[in-house]
Amino acid sequence: MTLLKRCICGEAVIGVDTWNGIPILRCGCGIARQDVDMTEEQLAAWYETRYYDGVYTHTREHDLDVAARRMRAYGARASGKLLDVGAGNGAFVQIAMEAGLDAWGQDPAVQNESDRTYLGHLADVAFPTADFDTITMHDVLEHVPDPVAFLTEVKRILKPGGRLILDFPRFWDAAGRHHWKRIEHLWMLTGNQLMDLLQRVGFDVERACNPIPSKIVIEVRAPAVLRTRILVPAGIGDAYWVMTKLRGFMREKGIVELPEIVVQDAGGPKRTQPFLRTVPFVHAGGYELLRTRHNIWKEAYLEDGRTSFEHPFPGIDWFIAYNGVMKYGKSLAQVDPQWPVEWRFKQHVTKASLAFKKECQAGGPYAIVYLTDGGMYQEWLKAFTPQQIVKTLQLVGRAHGLRMIFIGAEWDKQMTGERLAQYGDAEWVDLVGETTYDQMVGALLGASLVFGYPAGNTILGAVFGVPTVLLWHPYFHVNFWTNTCPPDAPYVALNVVGLTPRACADAVDEILHKTGMCQKVSVHA
């Protein structure tokens, strides 16, 4: 068993050798890599349990000193929003912040998580596309099992024209002999091989230097990107349904570069773009004001018609919407079946979301509640009145020790949700119109239950795996009630017509018991 079965070039082993006491595999292209008898999972476990327990021995004071010297050397070439990949203890992030940069870090080691350093492997953190002006990597790439995939992810999150500053050992120079290390340093690239790799991935090499004899620093720029522009409907849920089908659509249409997703500007709260920023296989491109009468809107939103429209408006390559067909009871799997439904995909969770999750949980277990009386929801309130909703929430809260936190956008203020929050039980919390998108996500992630009307925010609760109970009305086709959320989600759809508070509370009891949240809530209550 060997960790690196193939070279960066794609070829298998050509020869086996030993250099500086390290077993290496040589390829016909000239690249040498270490022969490590591990799986990727075992290597990850080694870093989690061994790397900071005797392997990495530098102190934070040492790392701060090195970081300061690096920052002085980079000068103005490190600017704007910066990400330090493989940030370790965050020393360079701290120095960069002190220099006035909006600096962040990423590191897979749990010991290194902080309010500025994201925990997890780079691809798993799923940073927004084209988000950083500068990315730094110090003594990182040689540790990575798949440098091509790793650098491709770096290029994705770097703005076009943004700079990558990469620090790498000079393994084949006498001064770099001490960098030959068992297990941790996998790729013994020469400077030319490293530059070739960066160009292969698509970077433009700008400069290379040897700041100290044992290191090479290469600076590259991310190239300009010509993106396909795709228009989607306004609304978190509406855009989410498009995202579940988008990668299949891209494959069929031969769209290689990540597309730019623009949102129809329909007025109201602007929360669709913040959602799209969390999706790593698109670039969130803002809103398009298309104040025009057009048959496309009727077909896309009200009819069982087409779901994709080519060149619908100047500057727009495609418009995709599933509202109409779903309104008629069709599932996403039934529509455009050649494009598989990806109900769950990686989404970036910001530090602001994680901080707000922690803040919400500090007061004990809670349920997120979304209610409003705008537009069609008047029909909901006629069938299941505010008084009945209050009674239901009181039954649920007292049975499971849950506080009720009411959320909603600016346009939901002074409506049913906020009024119930203000005049309900003393421990109920009114956050209607008071949260950013990131805070809303944090509140959802920390909740024991999501309850209320179907909307983008409550649908996200089900997507995140939070037990979710949504109140529906025959205004929508009954199939639509379940087609909006992942089929394996912990989710119940209830008809408000004829519903009683006791029956509604029983449905909540059942889903909390089924998911194990009931026991969890009881322990904390």
Side-chain angles (χ1 to χ4, degrees):
M1 175 180 63
T2 184
L3 176 68
L4 307 175
K5 295 180 174 61
R6 293 192 173 275
C7 179
I8 291 170
C9 72
E11 295 299 323
V13 178
I14 298 298
V16 179
D17 201 352
T18 299
W19 197 267
N20 290 331
I22 303 294
I24 62 172
L25 305 173
R26 281 197 175 274
C27 179
C29 71
I31 290 177
R33 62 194 191 272
Q34 187 174 166
D35 186 9
V36 177
D37 187 22
M38 285 182 174
T39 64
E40 285 198 33
E41 293 74 20
Q42 289 171 331
L43 180 66
W46 181 84
Y47 274 104
E48 290 174 7
T49 59
R50 295 283 305 281
Y51 189 64
Y52 288 98
D53 187 19
V55 177
Y56 188 84
T57 57
H58 291 310
T59 65
R60 181 170 177 79
E61 288 71 25
H62 167 273
D63 290 346
L64 285 168
D65 178 65
V66 172
R69 284 187 274 126
R70 282 171 169 158
M71 196 68 212
R72 286 194 296 271
Y74 300 157
R77 297 194 307 280
S79 61
K81 187 175 183 180
L82 177 145
L83 176 68
D84 189 35
V85 174
N89 57 27
F92 188 79
V93 174
Q94 178 181 327
I95 295 297
M97 288 179 64
E98 292 173 358
L101 278 67
D102 180 17
W104 299 87
Q106 166 275 327
D107 198 89
V110 66
Q111 301 95 321
N112 293 327
E113 185 178 16
S114 72
D115 60 349
R116 301 294 295 189
T117 297
Y118 284 86
L119 174 64
H121 293 283
L122 184 62
D124 293 332
V125 177
F127 287 109
T129 299
D131 198 43
F132 295 98
D133 300 288
T134 307
I135 294 179
T136 53
M137 284 198 294
H138 305 116
D139 301 302
V140 172
L141 192 64
E142 64 270 23
H143 295 255
V144 176
D146 189 345
V148 174
F150 193 80
L151 288 171
T152 300
E153 178 68 2
V154 169
K155 182 163 70 78
R156 180 188 71 80
I157 63 178
L158 191 60
K159 292 178 181 177
R163 179 181 277 111
L164 166 64
I165 303 175
L166 189 153
D167 174 295
F168 195 84
R170 296 181 72 197
F171 288 103
W172 302 98
D173 189 279
R177 182 185 179 92
H178 64 283
H179 290 298
W180 288 76
K181 297 179 180 180
R182 192 75 179 101
I183 299 178
E184 55 181 304
H185 290 174
L186 303 176
W187 297 95
M188 289 69 175
L189 304 176
T190 66
N192 286 335
Q193 289 168 343
L194 183 55
M195 285 188 278
D196 288 345
L197 170 61
L198 290 162
Q199 290 174 323
R200 171 186 167 185
V201 171
F203 287 106
D204 299 322
V205 176
E206 198 168 67
R207 70 195 298 263
C209 65
N210 304 118
I212 58 175
S214 66
K215 289 291 188 71
I216 182 171
V217 172
I218 301 177
E219 298 182 21
V220 299
R221 296 271 193 174
V225 180
L226 182 62
R227 302 187 191 277
T228 300
R229 299 190 83 225
I230 299 175
L231 178 71
V232 300
I236 296 171
D238 312 65
Y240 166 71
W241 298 325
V242 176
M243 294 301 102
T244 66
K245 304 280 278 188
L246 187 65
R247 283 198 273 201
F249 171 85
M250 290 166 58
R251 284 191 293 269
E252 181 183 284
K253 304 302 180 184
I255 299 172
V256 178
E257 294 290 350
L258 302 186
E260 180 179 17
I261 306 298
V262 293
V263 180
Q264 180 194 359
D265 190 343
K270 298 291 191 291
R271 293 203 167 186
T272 313
Q273 276 294 314
F275 160 69
L276 291 170
R277 276 179 49 78
T278 71
V279 180
F281 51 87
V282 304
H283 176 243
Y287 293 86
E288 288 282 335
L289 188 61
L290 300 166
R291 303 288 189 187
T292 177
R293 296 180 65 85
H294 202 297
N295 289 334
I296 281 179
W297 307 131
K298 181 179 178 182
E299 183 176 357
Y301 297 147
L302 300 176
E303 296 178 356
D304 184 8
R306 290 177 293 170
T307 58
S308 58
F309 306 80
E310 190 171 8
H311 300 303
F313 303 102
I316 302 294
D317 297 300
W318 292 93
F319 171 44
I320 305 176
Y322 286 96
N323 304 57
V325 293
M326 293 180 73
K327 178 183 175 70
Y328 279 84
K330 291 184 177 178
S331 70
L332 289 171
Q334 291 173 312
V335 183
D336 302 324
Q338 72 276 24
W339 308 333
V341 186
E342 295 182 81
W343 284 106
R344 290 189 178 85
F345 41 81
K346 290 176 185 174
Q347 292 186 53
H348 178 58
V349 179
T350 67
K351 284 293 180 180
S353 293
L354 295 172
F356 200 70
K357 171 186 174 182
K358 186 176 181 180
E359 182 179 334
C360 290
Q361 289 180 323
Y366 64 91
I368 287 294
V369 181
Y370 174 70
L371 301 162
T372 187
D373 49 45
M376 64 186 180
Y377 293 114
Q378 287 288 333
E379 300 300 318
W380 273 248
L381 289 169
K382 292 176 186 176
F384 196 56
T385 67
Q387 293 76 18
Q388 290 175 302
I389 293 171
V390 168
K391 180 63 175 176
T392 300
L393 295 177
Q394 289 173 336
L395 289 170
V396 170
R398 291 163 189 171
H400 301 287
L402 295 176
R403 294 176 299 133
M404 302 298 157
I405 298 181
F406 291 75
I407 65 169
E410 282 285 339
W411 64 4
D412 296 308
K413 291 185 73 66
Q414 303 302 316
M415 293 192 183
T416 298
E418 186 168 55
R419 288 195 295 270
L420 295 187
Q422 293 174 347
Y423 299 109
D425 287 3
E427 67 272 17
W428 292 3
V429 180
D430 174 20
L431 292 181
V432 178
E434 302 297 326
T435 59
T436 64
Y437 176 83
D438 288 342
Q439 289 171 329
M440 180 196 76
V441 168
L444 289 170
L445 290 172
S448 299
L449 172 72
V450 173
F451 178 91
Y453 291 163
N457 50 17
T458 52
I459 289 171
L460 275 186
V463 173
F464 293 154
V466 181
T468 300
V469 176
L470 297 187
L471 307 178
W472 288 85
H473 187 278
Y475 176 94
F476 284 115
H477 193 292
V478 66
N479 291 350
F480 187 52
W481 303 2
T482 52
N483 289 341
T484 55
C485 297
D488 62 344
Y491 164 59
V492 173
L494 299 178
N495 187 349
V496 292
V497 176
L499 186 64
T500 66
R502 182 70 268 170
C504 191
D506 287 345
V508 172
D509 290 345
E510 183 177 352
I511 194 170
L512 290 178
H513 278 286
K514 187 179 295 184
T515 57
M517 293 300 292
C518 182
Q519 181 178 359
K520 174 182 174 183
V521 169
S522 298
V523 168
H524 288 280

